[in-house]
Amino acid sequence: MTEKQAEKIKLKIKKIKSELAADKRRWGGFYDDSRGLRYLAPQYYIKLQDWSGGLRYLNWFHKNFPDDGGFPDFLFELAIILLKSGKTKQAEQMIFRSFCSNTYIIDKFFDKALIPIEKYENSNIDIPEYLVDFKYRSNNANLSDFSCWLEEFVNSEKFKNGSQKFIEIQKLLKKEEDRELRGILLNQLRELKKEF
């Protein structure tokens, strides 16, 4: 990346931050951000390989949007930033959250076939088609260390057990019509994500 390209990316980050600050002023100390600007910056930190800047952004995001579940690709980007910042445990948790948000994202990263699973899918971000424009691939030279780590992690007992349990509950939710039992299953999903 040339100096000029890096400067353009830094300007994009600055513009995002500026627009978010203006949004907060407009709403009297709160954010509306209906445009979803808060999800854009991590991709630019990754392009710049600015891991400390990305980590600061992640901390700002969690402070200002503590209940925001994020999107699968955004969570994946946060996992990259966390791992590159030496925060392995948090990167594991973020990858699991990304997987729970879209169970096909890891296969997409490793260029594997996306085979639909007959399971409960809460929205259009849960489906394989959501990942059509997903830009990260395991063969990206800048992500080689992340790719090696991710391959090892997804083959670990911890991830295998967690992901298998998640999919089993999703399959049960697909068929279950009883509201009380659905509530129990949804609560199990929340607990699984917290425990991971």
Side-chain angles (χ1 to χ4, degrees):
M1 177 182 302
T2 66
E3 183 95 20
K4 194 172 183 180
Q5 289 170 323
E7 282 306 313
K8 279 186 177 180
I9 293 171
K10 287 175 186 175
L11 280 173
K12 286 181 182 183
I13 293 171
K14 191 174 180 179
K15 186 177 179 188
I16 290 166
K17 288 180 175 181
S18 175
E19 289 186 37
L20 284 167
D23 186 63
K24 188 175 184 179
R25 284 191 302 276
R26 187 178 312 117
W27 297 101
F30 298 96
Y31 292 95
D32 170 53
D33 190 29
S34 53
R35 295 185 295 164
L37 292 173
R38 64 191 179 276
Y39 303 119
L40 300 179
Q43 66 183 308
Y44 300 125
Y45 286 110
I46 291 169
K47 281 182 182 177
L48 291 170
Q49 297 185 41
D50 178 3
W51 312 121
S52 59
L55 199 55
R56 281 192 303 276
Y57 187 83
L58 189 152
N59 291 333
W60 170 87
F61 181 88
H62 287 309
K63 181 182 173 192
N64 290 284
F65 301 97
D67 299 326
D68 193 323
F71 290 93
D73 41 353
F74 173 75
L75 298 171
F76 197 90
E77 289 168 339
L78 297 184
I80 292 170
I81 291 168
L82 285 164
L83 185 77
K84 296 278 195 172
S85 301
K87 310 265 184 200
T88 308
K89 175 76 175 155
Q90 288 137 305
E92 289 177 1
Q93 293 167 337
M94 200 59 70
I95 278 294
F96 189 70
R97 283 182 59 196
S98 180
F99 170 83
C100 292
S101 193
N102 186 308
T103 56
Y104 308 100
I105 198 164
I106 293 169
D107 285 340
K108 181 73 172 184
F109 179 73
F110 287 112
D111 281 322
K112 295 181 181 177
L114 304 186
I115 302 164
I117 303 167
E118 190 65 29
K119 63 181 178 52
Y120 172 69
E121 290 170 341
N122 191 33
S123 73
N124 66 343
I125 68 168
D126 294 358
I127 59 177
E129 293 78 10
Y130 176 81
L131 299 169
V132 167
D133 296 322
F134 184 66
K135 59 183 145 240
Y136 301 100
R137 295 291 182 278
S138 59
N139 62 2
N140 182 314
N142 293 335
L143 297 178
S144 59
D145 55 342
F146 177 80
S147 299
C148 291
W149 169 81
L150 184 57
E151 187 168 17
E152 188 176 316
F153 177 59
V154 296
N155 286 306
S156 69
E157 286 303 310
K158 180 181 181 179
F159 185 83
K160 283 182 180 177
N161 291 339
S163 59
Q164 201 169 23
K165 192 169 183 180
F166 179 82
I167 290 172
E168 285 170 11
I169 296 170
Q170 292 284 76
K171 285 180 176 180
L172 292 172
L173 274 168
K174 173 91 174 170
K175 297 174 185 173
E176 189 55 66
E177 294 180 18
D178 182 278
R179 277 182 82 168
E180 190 175 334
L181 290 175
R182 284 184 68 76
I184 292 168
L185 290 170
L186 288 168
N187 193 45
Q188 286 177 2
L189 284 181
R190 280 189 289 277
E191 289 303 312
L192 179 63
K193 289 177 196 175
K194 278 185 202 171
E195 290 168 11
F196 203 88

